[in-house]
Amino acid sequence: MQEIRSEKKRKSRRYGLIFIGFFIIVWFSGTVGWLVRTVGVSVAPRTGHDYTITAIGRLGFPDPTTGMVLRVNASRLKQMAHEALGWKAYAIPPGMIPERLSIVGSMRVLLDDEATETWLPFVLTIQPETPHPNLSVRLPSDMVNQALLYEGSFAHKDKRKQYLLGHYNIIHSLRFDTATLHSAPDGKRPITFRKIDGYATGEVRFKLKENFFSARMTARVRRMDLKCDLDFRHYVDGIALSYKITIPKLNADINNLAPMFESGPIEAVRKALEDSIARPRNLEKLSRKRLPHYIPLDLEIDIEVFNSP
């Protein structure tokens, strides 16, 4: 009787070791990860409050003419998962994050802090050819101008200025035709500072109201240089972001005004635009927020606004 029990225990241990060995092989071979990913893709909701997914597949999808494209490699996604989940990330089975995958859909975004919500097409691509995360955004000018068409927008502002004899108001309305913004990481670690440089073209309609007179003018913006300095401070509860936006130079032609008299009004409009972009209320609100530690601060950014018909 004792020998029968001992034999059963040996068989039980043997089967247990075989099962553990089989599970280890299946786990590290990526089979479990593939199975979890396959089931997850099939049962995950394709529509939510802020997104809609139209296609998922390994084959590359064409970039949308309007919308966002985010490219990242699988190893970086795994690194972000460990930074976000800590030791829990080890529960993610190998093979769950594929080397190649494309997700196509649309998502709800705000082009400005108080602008109307807009749905934009997006493509998320996981591919090994991407050394660091890359975000490309391409928007038509009519969408941008419509999103900024609200009271208090930096593109529509009434600013009072003081001078020796009293005060004057600059009421400006900015319409974009084209814009280009770019930021590439410099490879330094830790990342505490980033630069975004670019330029824009368009039209500024402005009104100068002084104590004794007022004048309405339209300036055709041939080039407006844009510069944004981003500062990141790392805290225990997250990353604090602050920014400074400047317009170093504004080249414009004012209708019905001789070139020799343009420098004063153009400089006033440049300063008014610069002040309206860097609104103290937004800066204060942003200073109280914290970004998660796993956010990719080395994200390469390319933003283009094209002149829509």
Side-chain angles (χ1 to χ4, degrees):
M1 192 68 177
Q2 186 67 26
E3 292 180 358
I4 295 175
R5 290 180 179 177
S6 299
E7 182 65 22
K8 288 182 178 180
K9 287 182 179 180
R10 285 194 295 270
K11 288 183 178 180
S12 177
R13 286 196 296 267
R14 189 183 307 120
Y15 291 145
L17 291 174
I18 293 174
F19 175 78
I20 292 174
F22 176 76
F23 180 78
I24 291 175
I25 294 173
V26 172
W27 178 273
F28 286 102
S29 68
T31 304
V32 174
W34 173 85
L35 182 61
V36 172
R37 184 177 75 246
T38 302
V39 174
V41 168
S42 62
V43 302
R46 296 297 181 98
T47 302
H49 180 265
D50 296 320
Y51 72 92
T52 298
I53 297 176
T54 57
I56 301 177
R58 287 183 173 271
L59 297 178
F61 294 93
D63 294 348
T65 56
T66 296
M68 299 176 290
V69 179
L70 177 61
R71 297 181 177 88
V72 66
N73 60 48
S75 60
R76 185 57 186 274
L77 285 178
K78 295 173 185 176
Q79 177 186 341
M80 293 171 61
H82 280 273
E83 293 173 350
L85 302 176
W87 62 269
K88 297 178 182 178
Y90 290 101
I92 300 176
M96 184 174 176
I97 301 176
E99 293 296 324
R100 294 185 181 275
L101 183 70
S102 293
I103 301 175
V104 181
S106 59
M107 61 186 300
R108 191 192 307 267
V109 298
L110 289 175
L111 298 184
D112 193 42
D113 189 46
E114 300 177 15
T116 304
E117 294 177 341
T118 303
W119 283 86
L120 284 181
F122 75 86
V123 175
L124 169 61
T125 300
I126 304 175
Q127 58 184 27
E129 296 86 358
T130 306
H132 47 75
N134 175 275
L135 174 66
S136 298
V137 182
R138 196 167 186 267
L139 305 172
S141 57
D142 58 350
M143 176 186 292
V144 175
N145 293 323
Q146 184 64 33
L148 298 178
L149 189 61
Y150 66 91
E151 185 178 355
S153 164
F154 74 85
H156 302 272
K157 201 73 173 179
D158 186 341
K159 189 71 175 180
R160 171 169 292 196
K161 297 286 186 178
Q162 299 290 334
Y163 78 117
L164 183 62
L165 300 179
H167 69 269
Y168 63 91
N169 284 38
I170 298 180
I171 305 172
H172 72 261
S173 176
L174 172 63
R175 178 177 176 83
F176 290 98
D177 284 342
T178 64
T180 300
L181 298 173
H182 175 72
S183 180
D186 56 11
K188 296 181 180 179
R189 294 290 189 277
I191 299 175
T192 59
F193 178 78
R194 288 287 303 271
K195 282 186 177 183
I196 300 178
D197 296 300
Y199 68 91
T201 65
E203 183 181 84
V204 180
R205 296 181 179 180
F206 59 99
K207 180 180 180 181
L208 301 178
K209 294 177 62 178
E210 201 259 349
N211 296 336
F212 306 105
F213 76 96
S214 65
R216 295 178 182 270
M217 286 172 280
T218 299
R220 188 65 191 172
V221 178
R222 289 183 281 110
R223 183 182 176 99
M224 179 172 64
D225 291 342
L226 301 170
K227 181 181 179 181
C228 179
D229 295 334
L230 302 175
D231 287 292
F232 304 100
R233 295 188 179 183
H234 298 257
Y235 297 98
V236 176
D237 59 341
I239 301 173
L241 169 64
S242 61
Y243 69 91
K244 180 181 180 182
I245 300 178
T246 57
I247 303 175
K249 190 175 182 180
L250 176 65
N251 292 330
D253 299 321
I254 300 179
N255 295 342
N256 302 322
L257 189 65
M260 63 182 298
F261 299 114
E262 287 182 347
S263 59
I266 288 177
E267 174 58 23
V269 171
R270 185 201 68 79
K271 191 65 171 64
L273 288 172
E274 191 175 77
D275 292 342
S276 64
I277 291 176
R279 288 168 287 184
R281 182 181 60 181
N282 287 359
L283 294 175
E284 182 182 355
K285 183 190 297 186
L286 184 62
S287 66
R288 296 194 298 266
K289 294 182 179 180
R290 292 292 183 268
L291 302 174
H293 288 291
Y294 56 84
I295 188 170
L297 298 181
D298 61 340
L299 179 70
E300 184 173 356
I301 301 172
D302 287 286
I303 301 175
E304 178 190 358
V305 176
F306 62 92
N307 194 1
S308 51

